[in-house]
Amino acid sequence: MCAKAPKYIEVYSKIRQAILTGEFPAGSFLPTENELMELYDVSKTTVRHAVKLLRERDLVEVRQGSGTKVLPVEQQTVIHSKYHNPGSSTNVVIHYTTHGKGEVNNTKAVIDLVPADETAAAALEIPAGSMVYRLQRLQLIDGTVFGYMVNYIPQSLAPDLNTRGELLTDLYGFLFRNYGIHVTEIRETVDARVAGFMEAQYLQVDINTPLVLLRRIASGNASPVEYCETTVRPDIFHMTVTVDRPGTADSQPYL
């Protein structure tokens, strides 16, 4: 079972891409509602939700009696903090390249119970084959999918996680509220991979497109509590790490 973006998000993303590539240039009008239904093989409700999202992102304007007009767009970079701790000397910031207002959100987590493969088991320091909850989500910026996230949590730490019914947008807060698990350390590594069939479908890129792979281990009380793999599009997602070395004004950074 896999996380999947709502249908109207898929239609929105396709129309948005057509606008950005000039297939629907600024000043032109989108196809009619019925034509969009036929073009994308979706319902009228789906088309209306997609157009509503385009309008909210200032990509189009709906003119009664005339149609839906495409507006000029300007690319911008939106910045968000990642793991920023006011008491820490390291600050990680994410830059998203977007044509919208910079709204970042996740789809609702799809949760299933699976045996841990060797990679997840090694990260979580448990025997391979141990049962873990797998949480799959898509990450979006202004309705465009840029990341595919998979979290693994040992069943022994959260035995009834799949029955809690919460929208897991704040995973660490959820673990603390429901199981008293307090994440005190996060270690993340950056790697690379090329898009296979699955990544190409989720992230709306061609097969073999270079992607960034983030591997994260979160620990509490010196023991791993979560392993996460997130595959992201490098044309949208950019990560900057700033390290300030405490010391005197004339002390020099070291490598």
Side-chain angles (χ1 to χ4, degrees), residues 1-2 110-114 132-136 151 161-162:
M1 185 161 46
C2 300
V110 174
I111 306 174
D112 57 358
L113 191 61
V114 299
V132 294
Y133 284 109
R134 178 176 60 183
L135 287 68
Q136 300 180 80
N151 312 83
L161 184 147
N162 62 332

Side-chain angles (χ1 to χ4, degrees), residues 152-165:
Y152 298 91
I153 300 171
Q155 183 187 24
S156 58
L157 294 180
D160 58 349
L161 184 147
N162 62 332
T163 67
R164 293 287 179 169

Side-chain angles (χ1 to χ4, degrees), residues 223-253:
S223 297
V225 298
E226 176 233 14
Y227 172 61
C228 178
E229 291 188 354
T230 305
T231 307
V232 296
R233 290 174 48 176
D235 59 322
I236 296 177
F237 178 98
H238 316 274
M239 186 164 67
T240 301
V241 180
T242 303
V243 180
D244 297 319
R245 182 186 181 192
T248 61
D250 59 354
S251 62
Q252 296 296 315

Side-chain angles (χ1 to χ4, degrees), residues 10 30 33-34 46 56 70 73 81 97 151 169 190 197 221 253:
E10 294 181 16
L30 292 183
E33 192 174 79
N34 288 338
T46 296
E56 291 174 351
V70 178
V73 294
S81 291
T97 303
N151 312 83
T169 55
V190 182
F197 177 79
N221 297 326

